[in-house]
Amino acid sequence: MRVASVFAQPFAAWRVWAPRRVCRRCLSQKTGRSVAQMLQWKPAEKVDGVVVNGYVRSVRAMKTHHFISLTDGSSLAPLQAVVPADHAEGLTVGTAVRLTGAWVASSGKAQSHEMQVEKVDVLGPSDPKTFPIQKKYMTPDYLRTIPHLRPRTTMNSILLRLRSDVIACLTQYFADRSFTQTHPPIITSSDCEGAGEVFTLMPASDAAAAESGDSATTRAAQEHFFRSRKYLTVSTQLHLEALAQSVGNVWTLSPVFRAEKSDTSRHLSEFYMLEAEMTFVDDLGPVMDLAEDMLRHLSISLYNSASVNDLLSRPKQLGQDLAPADDVRRRWEGFMLQNWPRITYTDAMKVLKDAADKFEHKPDWGTGLQSEHEKYLAEVIGGGSRPVFVTNYPRDIKAFYMRESQTQPNGPDAATPGATVDCFDLLVPEFCEIAGGSMREHRLDPLLQAMKRHGLEGPGAEVLNWYVDLRRWGCPPHGGFGVGFDRLLSYLSGVQSIRDIVSFPRWFGRCDC
Amino acid sequence: MRVASVFAQPFAAWRVWAPRRVCRRCLSQKTGRSVAQMLQWKPAEKVDGVVVNGYVRSVRAMKTHHFISLTDGSSLAPLQAVVPADHAEGLTVGTAVRLTGAWVASSGKAQSHEMQVEKVDVLGPSDPKTFPIQKKYMTPDYLRTIPHLRPRTTMNSILLRLRSDVIACLTQYFADRSFTQTHPPIITSSDCEGAGEVFTLMPASDAAAAESGDSATTRAAQEHFFRSRKYLTVSTQLHLEALAQSVGNVWTLSPVFRAEKSDTSRHLSEFYMLEAEMTFVDDLGPVMDLAEDMLRHLSISLYNSASVNDLLSRPKQLGQDLAPADDVRRRWEGFMLQNWPRITYTDAMKVLKDAADKFEHKPDWGTGLQSEHEKYLAEVIGGGSRPVFVTNYPRDIKAFYMRESQTQPNGPDAATPGATVDCFDLLVPEFCEIAGGSMREHRLDPLLQAMKRHGLEGPGAEVLNWYVDLRRWGCPPHGGFGVGFDRLLSYLSGVQSIRDIVSFPRWFGRCDC
């Protein structure tokens, strides 16, 4: 068994990206300081005339004063404000307020400073009796029924900040490495990439006309707008390949769509994919190097950020629907490790067969890996910490565009019972596949043969003519990978259902707001 | 007439973002240096064993040697390679090659160094007789018929790099200012925002079933996937407002869709919008400050970048379909100017009426500004260089969610013949509107009244219930703006038709690849 464990790292971490959430004087003058900025501000002497905006999270009414916890989504910890009882009218849970007063050292233990409020402006009143966000525990199912209000919970504001930090970090990562960020199309002409059921689209007015029931109208409407039926993209890869032939290495963070009629915690009808494509690479090595280095860079850059710190240090009752904080911390630390193991599918199959009695589904060369198999490999090969690349899957269970393996014998012998392709799945502990990639077949004739094998010839397949065309004039070896961006965020946050990492999740039967 | 011309700048340019396209040692070891990197590398002595990948742009065959111009999309200028005649087989225009040889000072004047090739690997052959990309002039119309190959032209590779640089620059801009980048949904439940005709969607398999002509099937299919009809978003604003109530200032760069059956050089069915939303702002001032500062920061950051330099220094024959380079340079420099004028619609109307005989459409208070009016205002108020904010448009020609003007009298008097809203359009010379924004009505009752006025009540309007809900519990004053991202890139590149700034443009009747 070959488990390559030492690889030269192709990219140094030239610059560790760090989110800046510090006081910006000019911005603060216009809009007040954020709660996060206030909590970092520890002047030795009382400062008057300070303005803070936010929402009332809780109120503790005393005889002469009310103690207000104020939040604005910028930090896990709230700001404590002391409001004279005669100023506290309208300060109910959920209210949007502007507080003006003094910032002074606090006598309490909870935070170093507190606000002694002199002026209260109620900017947006809130009736706590009807406010659907309660301080008590709310189930994920309940919160999903109010996606427009759900972002206001503390945990969801942390998840929004985490998403933003990850986007900014990766944008800088790719810019520093001369990868061109691109906007491949969302509406596409192809429905035959094999990535699942697709959506088609038409103008709403035509759909309404078609609903009148006249079948001629229906057909005319469906054929009309783009002259033939078009689809929402399931992956930007094919178009990325065209763009890579222009400017070399490219990447994108783009929404993709699946019309699967499935109702699981792992599937959405709309989600973001990060996809990267490298040109002039001869084999899968540099592609895997990039995926590994990107995720390692991400974890190193953000591990000490405010959003990750809030995520890992949240009180237990706040994150009771998340994976335990210690488990999530191990995921971040796993990404930081060097030398992620790489194992071929064929070798992995041997490992699985040696443990066949552990599985419900018997491992069998030529079939896909089941979730239980992937979990076992992550545990045994990755030691439960390092992500694991499984490479060179059988040709017949992978997409038509993957290049046949160059580095493994393809003939039917004992070690390799059939043809394989230069591809990889990246498995992480507990969570299974988090990324997948491959070399693309860049030679015209082998691509046409592969398409024939996959039934992609004749009527219907002409929508891929442009993709074949890319091979006709100067197509270098190239390959790339895709990461389910929302799945990655789920993994790194410990959110158990992908429906809870996306602000407005869409799945079979559900599209609220 | 009030033309406010001096405004305090709210944001300093803390960090000028600069794209890095320099040599990355580790990356180069894996994949070779880019042409842009090679052209910057000027060693005093000959360096052997250098590897470069790229595409043959042109060949000049001499007796003993062929002179090859090699490009890879990384720079306007090609790399000159000298190949012994007996190594030059297969080096035709468009071919993807890997060249190995020595990097030496050149005797020619065109560039300081050239490559003396010792080894040629043809990685992707190209038949120049059939290659659709010719060295001679190709019309934009022709190039639009081959969008999958069009990126390979020199001008399109520059445009791709410019887009990437703009995205990275703005991502850093917002991250530095603690704006949270978000992913609002693409599939939405509302079709009544008044931003134009929308697309609806359904699983392709259901559409195929419906095409069988049976009207019961049709109706079942259309109602099925999400339980009721859903749409592709025309603007992320409404959802951004919900997210802003969680984490404060937010932004996004998201695809949006229009099903307009119009065939002009200004409209696409799919394009990117940059939208930002600020909370706890009392009036339009900080919103306009942000739009102005963002665009100024962008122009200052990128003005000396490689992509902008290539854009402005391209030879005339390469950019003959673009606005003249000097005009484009003035656009970049116009963005850099301080203190963009701000004028109310009512005052603008007076300016227009004073010049009424210049216009085909007579200016009339209460109607929208025509393109000829906007051009005139950009010229007269902006002096043909500064962008111009026109604010406080009449209520009845703007969207339902805009707040009624706070700073202007709304009563019917001579100066203001009717109610106006707190909104702005940002006009630029030659190009008209490039951004628009407003304060959002954050109070429940005024919003409900505005919706009633716009016919948004009763059956069908319940899809906006969630948006109204945002006002029920703690909604602070807030506002934001949107920039047509592809229009912005057209303006800054001089590309005349928006179909040529987007790699795979989609419009009425056209969706290739």
Side-chain angles (χ1 to χ4, degrees):
Chain A
M1 178 177 54
R2 191 184 68 95
V3 180
S5 64
V6 180
F7 285 82
Q9 284 311 306
F11 310 108
W14 294 292
R15 190 201 307 195
V16 173
W17 185 88
R20 297 190 177 189
R21 300 203 166 269
V22 297
C23 170
R24 297 280 170 211
R25 193 170 56 90
C26 307
L27 186 65
S28 303
Q29 284 174 348
K30 282 274 169 188
T31 61
R33 293 177 200 231
S34 73
V35 167
Q37 289 165 347
M38 290 296 294
L39 295 181
Q40 287 174 32
W41 187 35
K42 297 168 182 177
E45 303 200 345
K46 174 180 171 181
V47 180
D48 283 308
V50 171
V51 178
V52 182
N53 299 308
Y55 306 88
V56 176
R57 185 189 284 174
S58 67
V59 184
R60 197 155 46 92
M62 312 295 274
K63 208 166 200 176
T64 58
H65 288 83
H66 290 194
F67 291 92
I68 304 283
S69 284
L70 194 77
T71 59
D72 63 357
S74 66
S75 74
L76 172 63
L79 177 146
Q80 179 165 289
V82 187
V83 182
D86 58 348
H87 283 51
E89 200 186 343
L91 288 188
T92 53
V93 171
T95 301
V97 292
R98 175 167 299 153
L99 303 179
T100 309
W103 187 237
V104 296
S106 167
S107 53
K109 278 180 189 167
Q111 48 188 250
S112 75
H113 284 66
E114 66 187 12
M115 189 152 183
Q116 288 177 350
V117 176
E118 284 146 21
K119 183 160 170 275
V120 173
D121 296 303
V122 172
L123 302 177
S126 172
D127 181 354
K129 289 199 203 77
T130 59
F131 189 31
I133 303 288
Q134 300 293 322
K135 246 209 124 181
K136 68 173 169 49
Y137 173 71
M138 295 168 289
T139 66
D141 272 343
Y142 168 69
L143 285 171
R144 276 178 219 141
T145 65
I146 47 169
H148 56 307
L149 303 173
R150 184 175 67 165
R152 301 189 195 183
T153 63
T154 305
M155 186 45 65
N156 277 284
S157 66
I158 295 174
L159 296 177
L160 282 169
R161 286 188 283 124
L162 175 67
R163 175 182 296 265
S164 180
D165 289 348
V166 171
I167 301 171
C169 176
L170 293 177
T171 300
Q172 186 70 52
Y173 175 86
F174 281 113
D176 279 352
R177 284 148 189 82
S178 298
F179 275 67
T180 302
Q181 186 169 2
T182 62
H183 284 152
I186 309 297
I187 304 173
T188 66
S189 55
S190 151
D191 65 337
C192 48
E193 288 168 52
E197 176 73 65
V198 296
F199 285 107
T200 185
L201 70 165
M202 67 173 77
S205 55
D206 290 352
E211 228 178 41
S212 67
D214 175 52
S215 67
T217 320
T218 309
R219 209 162 298 134
Q222 284 172 348
E223 296 302 337
H224 199 234
F225 195 87
F226 290 118
R227 292 192 197 165
S228 63
R229 187 172 291 161
K230 300 299 172 186
Y231 310 94
L232 295 184
T233 187
V234 294
S235 155
T236 65
Q237 178 207 314
L238 306 191
H239 295 88
L240 267 191
E241 288 182 54
L243 298 174
Q245 284 185 269
S246 166
V247 285
N249 298 340
V250 291
W251 77 288
T252 192
L253 181 57
S254 173
V256 298
F257 304 85
R258 304 280 156 89
E260 300 293 349
K261 289 176 180 162
S262 61
D263 185 9
T264 81
S265 66
R266 288 182 55 173
H267 294 91
L268 289 177
S269 302
E270 169 187 328
F271 56 97
Y272 271 78
M273 281 267 279
L274 187 160
E275 293 180 274
E277 195 72 25
M278 302 174 85
T279 47
F280 293 104
V281 287
D282 297 328
D283 59 53
L284 215 47
V287 181
M288 289 190 284
D289 290 347
L290 178 69
E292 178 176 338
D293 184 69
M294 177 190 85
L295 293 173
R296 184 181 303 116
H297 177 90
L298 177 69
S299 62
I300 292 170
S301 298
L302 293 187
Y303 188 64
N304 291 313
S305 68
S307 56
V308 174
N309 191 53
D310 284 352
L311 182 71
L312 297 180
S313 67
R314 87 268 171 172
K316 225 172 197 166
Q317 74 274 18
L318 208 58
Q320 62 186 270
D321 295 308
L322 277 62
D326 285 345
D327 290 3
V328 177
R329 185 183 301 277
R330 267 194 294 277
R331 295 177 184 180
W332 284 86
E333 291 170 353
F335 274 8
M336 291 186 210
L337 296 172
Q338 300 281 333
N339 307 323
W340 301 358
R342 300 173 184 190
I343 181 174
T344 66
Y345 169 91
T346 301
D347 286 340
M349 207 35 86
K350 287 179 206 156
V351 173
L352 293 171
K353 282 193 172 159
D354 287 347
D357 55 348
K358 292 187 198 297
F359 305 121
E360 194 186 330
H361 302 88
K362 293 300 148 208
D364 188 22
W365 203 101
T367 63
L369 297 182
Q370 300 295 317
S371 172
E372 57 178 343
H373 303 151
E374 295 185 337
K375 277 185 183 154
Y376 183 77
L377 291 172
E379 198 58 44
V380 169
I381 308 296
S385 55
R386 278 183 175 76
V388 175
F389 290 98
V390 180
T391 69
N392 300 88
Y393 283 68
R395 184 180 76 182
D396 296 337
I397 59 170
K398 286 290 181 178
F400 73 94
Y401 49 72
M402 294 184 179
R403 189 178 74 177
E404 277 202 34
S405 297
Q406 308 289 302
T407 51
Q408 275 213 161
N410 284 320
D413 65 16
T416 55
T420 63
V421 283
D422 280 339
C423 70
F424 72 83
D425 278 1
L426 180 60
L427 312 181
V428 291
E430 304 169 73
F431 219 69
C432 309
E433 186 203 334
I434 204 154
S438 77
M439 294 299 292
R440 325 303 186 183
E441 182 49 75
H442 69 288
R443 299 158 304 172
L444 182 62
D445 287 337
L447 179 65
L448 291 172
Q449 286 159 25
M451 289 174 68
K452 198 170 172 180
R453 266 200 311 277
H454 282 81
L456 295 172
E457 60 174 354
E462 69 277 357
V463 294
L464 287 175
N465 283 353
W466 70 271
Y467 182 72
V468 174
D469 251 14
L470 299 180
R471 277 67 185 166
R472 290 189 198 278
W473 301 284
C475 190
H478 61 287
F481 65 84
V483 178
F485 191 70
D486 298 299
R487 270 179 65 73
L488 174 66
L489 291 178
S490 287
Y491 181 70
L492 288 177
S493 62
V495 167
Q496 312 273 13
S497 168
I498 198 158
R499 295 170 185 173
D500 300 327
I501 195 75
V502 172
S503 294
F504 294 92
R506 280 79 177 89
W507 73 92
F508 181 47
R510 282 294 285 279
C511 175
D512 297 344
C513 305
Chain B
M1 179 177 50
R2 190 183 68 93
V3 181
S5 63
V6 181
F7 285 84
Q9 285 311 309
F11 308 108
W14 294 292
R15 189 201 309 195
V16 173
W17 185 89
R20 297 191 177 187
R21 300 204 167 268
V22 296
C23 169
R24 296 280 169 213
R25 194 170 56 89
C26 308
L27 185 64
S28 303
Q29 285 174 346
K30 282 274 168 191
T31 61
R33 293 177 199 230
S34 72
V35 168
Q37 288 165 349
M38 290 297 294
L39 295 181
Q40 287 175 32
W41 186 35
K42 296 169 183 176
E45 302 199 346
K46 176 179 170 181
V47 179
D48 284 308
V50 171
V51 178
V52 182
N53 299 307
Y55 306 88
V56 175
R57 185 189 284 175
S58 66
V59 184
R60 196 155 46 93
M62 312 295 275
K63 210 169 200 173
T64 59
H65 287 84
H66 290 193
F67 290 92
I68 304 284
S69 283
L70 193 77
T71 61
D72 63 356
S74 66
S75 74
L76 172 63
L79 177 146
Q80 181 166 287
V82 187
V83 181
D86 59 348
H87 283 52
E89 200 186 344
L91 288 188
T92 53
V93 171
T95 302
V97 293
R98 175 167 299 152
L99 303 179
T100 309
W103 187 237
V104 296
S106 168
S107 53
K109 279 180 187 165
Q111 48 187 250
S112 74
H113 284 65
E114 67 186 13
M115 190 152 184
Q116 288 177 351
V117 176
E118 283 147 20
K119 182 158 171 277
V120 173
D121 295 304
V122 172
L123 302 176
S126 173
D127 180 354
K129 289 198 202 78
T130 59
F131 190 30
I133 303 288
Q134 300 293 322
K135 246 210 124 179
K136 69 174 171 40
Y137 172 71
M138 294 168 289
T139 66
D141 271 344
Y142 168 69
L143 285 170
R144 276 178 220 141
T145 65
I146 46 169
H148 57 307
L149 304 173
R150 185 175 67 164
R152 302 189 195 183
T153 64
T154 305
M155 187 45 65
N156 275 284
S157 67
I158 296 174
L159 297 177
L160 282 169
R161 285 188 283 124
L162 175 68
R163 176 183 295 266
S164 180
D165 289 348
V166 171
I167 300 171
C169 176
L170 293 177
T171 300
Q172 186 69 53
Y173 174 86
F174 281 113
D176 279 352
R177 284 149 189 83
S178 297
F179 276 67
T180 302
Q181 186 168 4
T182 61
H183 284 153
I186 309 297
I187 304 173
T188 65
S189 54
S190 151
D191 65 337
C192 49
E193 288 168 53
E197 176 73 69
V198 296
F199 285 107
T200 185
L201 70 165
M202 67 173 75
S205 55
D206 290 352
E211 228 177 41
S212 67
D214 175 53
S215 67
T217 321
T218 310
R219 208 161 298 134
Q222 284 171 347
E223 296 302 338
H224 199 233
F225 194 87
F226 290 118
R227 292 193 195 165
S228 62
R229 188 171 291 161
K230 300 299 173 187
Y231 310 93
L232 295 184
T233 188
V234 294
S235 154
T236 65
Q237 179 206 314
L238 305 192
H239 295 88
L240 267 191
E241 288 183 55
L243 299 174
Q245 285 186 269
S246 166
V247 284
N249 299 340
V250 292
W251 76 290
T252 191
L253 180 57
S254 173
V256 298
F257 304 84
R258 305 280 157 89
E260 300 293 349
K261 289 176 180 162
S262 61
D263 185 7
T264 81
S265 65
R266 289 182 54 173
H267 294 90
L268 288 178
S269 302
E270 170 187 329
F271 55 96
Y272 271 78
M273 281 266 280
L274 187 159
E275 293 180 273
E277 195 71 26
M278 302 174 84
T279 47
F280 293 104
V281 287
D282 298 328
D283 59 56
L284 215 48
V287 182
M288 290 191 283
D289 290 347
L290 178 69
E292 179 176 338
D293 184 69
M294 176 190 84
L295 293 173
R296 184 180 303 115
H297 177 89
L298 177 69
S299 61
I300 291 170
S301 298
L302 293 188
Y303 189 63
N304 291 312
S305 68
S307 55
V308 174
N309 192 52
D310 284 352
L311 183 71
L312 297 179
S313 68
R314 87 267 171 173
K316 226 172 196 167
Q317 74 274 17
L318 207 60
Q320 61 186 271
D321 295 309
L322 276 63
D326 285 345
D327 291 3
V328 177
R329 184 182 301 278
R330 267 194 294 277
R331 295 177 184 180
W332 283 88
E333 290 171 352
F335 274 8
M336 290 186 210
L337 296 172
Q338 300 281 334
N339 307 322
W340 299 358
R342 300 174 185 191
I343 180 173
T344 66
Y345 169 91
T346 300
D347 286 340
M349 208 33 87
K350 287 179 203 155
V351 173
L352 293 172
K353 282 196 170 158
D354 287 346
D357 55 348
K358 292 187 199 294
F359 304 120
E360 194 187 329
H361 302 88
K362 293 301 148 209
D364 187 21
W365 203 102
T367 63
L369 297 182
Q370 299 295 318
S371 173
E372 57 177 344
H373 304 150
E374 295 184 337
K375 277 185 183 155
Y376 183 78
L377 291 172
E379 198 58 45
V380 169
I381 309 296
S385 55
R386 278 183 175 76
V388 175
F389 289 99
V390 180
T391 68
N392 300 88
Y393 282 67
R395 184 181 77 183
D396 296 337
I397 58 171
K398 285 291 181 181
F400 74 93
Y401 49 73
M402 294 185 180
R403 189 178 74 178
E404 278 202 34
S405 297
Q406 309 289 302
T407 51
Q408 274 213 160
N410 284 320
D413 65 17
T416 54
T420 62
V421 283
D422 280 339
C423 70
F424 72 83
D425 278 1
L426 180 60
L427 312 181
V428 291
E430 304 168 72
F431 219 70
C432 310
E433 185 201 334
I434 205 154
S438 77
M439 294 299 293
R440 324 305 186 184
E441 183 50 74
H442 68 286
R443 298 159 303 173
L444 182 62
D445 287 337
L447 178 66
L448 290 172
Q449 285 160 25
M451 289 175 68
K452 197 170 174 181
R453 266 200 310 277
H454 283 80
L456 295 172
E457 59 173 355
E462 68 277 357
V463 294
L464 287 176
N465 283 354
W466 69 271
Y467 182 71
V468 174
D469 251 14
L470 299 180
R471 277 68 184 166
R472 289 188 199 279
W473 301 284
C475 189
H478 61 287
F481 65 83
V483 179
F485 191 70
D486 297 298
R487 271 178 64 74
L488 174 65
L489 291 179
S490 286
Y491 182 70
L492 289 176
S493 62
V495 168
Q496 312 273 14
S497 168
I498 198 158
R499 296 170 186 173
D500 300 327
I501 195 75
V502 172
S503 295
F504 293 91
R506 279 80 177 88
W507 73 92
F508 181 47
R510 281 293 284 279
C511 174
D512 297 344
C513 305

